[in-house]
Amino acid sequence: MNFEQAIISQLEANANPKQALKMAAYMKNQFVFYGINSSTRKLICKEIYDQYGVPENAIEVAKVLFLRPHRECHYIAQELLLKAKKQWKELHIEAIEWVILQNSWWDTVDFLASKVVGAYFQKWPDNKADITHRWNVSEDIWLIRTSIIFQLKYKAKVDTILLANSILPHTQNKAFFIRKAIGWALRSYADVNPSWVISFVKNNKLQPLSIKEALRKLPK
């Protein structure tokens, strides 16, 4: 039995059909679930990592898991991608982009954007502007969202020119997940530079949801 087979075996053994229906409903029935909560899933993974370690071909294993129907497999796959950061090569941005586009919804895209993509561009910062620009001008809302929020964990190291350039083409974008992403990215940066965020909101015509999210933590 290999890493992937061990994961699937344990997920099937711990499946909770009643809970699975609730979890699917929360995700608007876009995905099927085994019905395994986050804490149980992490215990399962810990046991398997203890036994097998991180697979040497972790990126390929993650891609295979992302093609499975159950949402827990996708969560494990993205966590594996991050855990295998030492295996990343510069060209693996292609695999990361591929994963973003598989079974896309906010719960996986936000993890991949803020943790995986964010970490990738810290390793290869020279690729940051060109790749995120390509995503930003695409027609896929999840690539656009990724281009806006990938700096969430950068805090004081946020590239404000890149942040502004990722937001400004989409200030009138009606997609909920884009409006929300704009506000979230600004709110996160407001933790370290509130004056920049206030000025940006004041000087650019953002939609109400984006403004509300951007300024939510700041004094009225």
Side-chain angles (χ1 to χ4, degrees):
M1 185 177 291
N2 61 25
F3 180 92
E4 179 200 347
Q5 292 167 337
I7 287 285
I8 301 304
S9 175
Q10 285 300 307
L11 291 175
E12 290 175 348
N14 286 274
N16 182 334
K18 187 175 180 180
Q19 186 64 22
L21 293 175
K22 294 179 181 179
M23 293 171 77
Y26 179 71
M27 287 294 166
K28 302 190 183 297
N29 294 305
Q30 295 191 88
F31 311 102
V32 293
F33 283 81
Y34 284 111
I36 298 171
N37 63 31
S38 175
S39 57
T40 302
R41 186 183 78 242
K42 286 177 179 171
L43 283 174
I44 290 170
C45 288
K46 183 181 184 306
E47 291 175 3
I48 292 174
Y49 281 121
D50 287 346
Q51 183 176 356
Y52 292 90
V54 176
E56 292 181 0
N57 61 335
I59 287 87
E60 293 307 311
V61 173
K63 289 173 72 174
V64 170
L65 287 171
F66 249 101
L67 289 175
R68 286 187 165 271
H70 290 84
R71 198 58 166 165
E72 289 92 342
C73 291
H74 309 157
Y75 298 151
I76 291 169
Q78 64 187 15
E79 291 158 4
L80 172 59
L81 267 180
L82 186 60
K83 202 171 184 71
K85 186 162 59 172
K86 290 181 180 178
Q87 296 181 20
W88 294 358
K89 293 180 171 54
E90 191 172 357
L91 58 77
H92 280 139
I93 190 61
E94 295 176 7
I96 294 169
E97 179 177 331
W98 182 90
V99 168
I100 292 169
L101 294 171
Q102 304 307 308
N103 298 297
S104 306
W105 198 241
W106 63 265
D107 53 336
T108 53
V109 171
D110 291 358
F111 180 101
L112 291 164
S114 64
K115 297 185 178 180
V116 177
V117 173
Y120 173 89
F121 286 130
Q122 286 178 323
K123 292 188 74 167
W124 291 282
D126 290 346
N127 296 341
K128 186 170 54 177
D130 288 345
I131 292 171
T132 59
H133 173 72
R134 177 169 58 80
W135 292 348
N136 193 261
V137 299
S138 75
E139 295 183 358
D140 186 274
I141 67 166
W142 302 112
L143 289 179
I144 297 169
R145 184 173 170 94
T146 298
S147 73
I148 294 170
I149 66 171
F150 80 91
Q151 298 190 85
L152 283 176
K153 295 188 177 299
Y154 287 15
K155 298 304 179 184
K157 295 182 179 180
V158 164
D159 181 334
T160 54
I161 293 174
L162 199 58
L163 178 61
N165 287 342
S166 70
I167 290 172
L168 291 174
H170 299 285
T171 56
Q172 300 310 305
N173 192 317
K174 299 300 182 184
F176 171 81
F177 288 110
I178 302 303
R179 291 181 288 143
K180 194 86 168 177
I182 290 170
W184 188 14
L186 292 170
R187 183 174 74 248
S188 177
Y189 189 51
D191 288 342
V192 294
N193 195 343
S195 60
W196 187 94
V197 171
I198 291 168
S199 176
F200 185 86
V201 170
K202 181 179 179 181
N203 293 313
N204 294 283
K205 191 177 180 181
L206 305 181
Q207 295 185 69
L209 177 60
S210 299
I211 296 171
K212 178 182 176 182
E213 290 295 319
L215 303 180
R216 196 168 72 187
K217 289 184 179 180
L218 298 177
K220 297 292 184 182

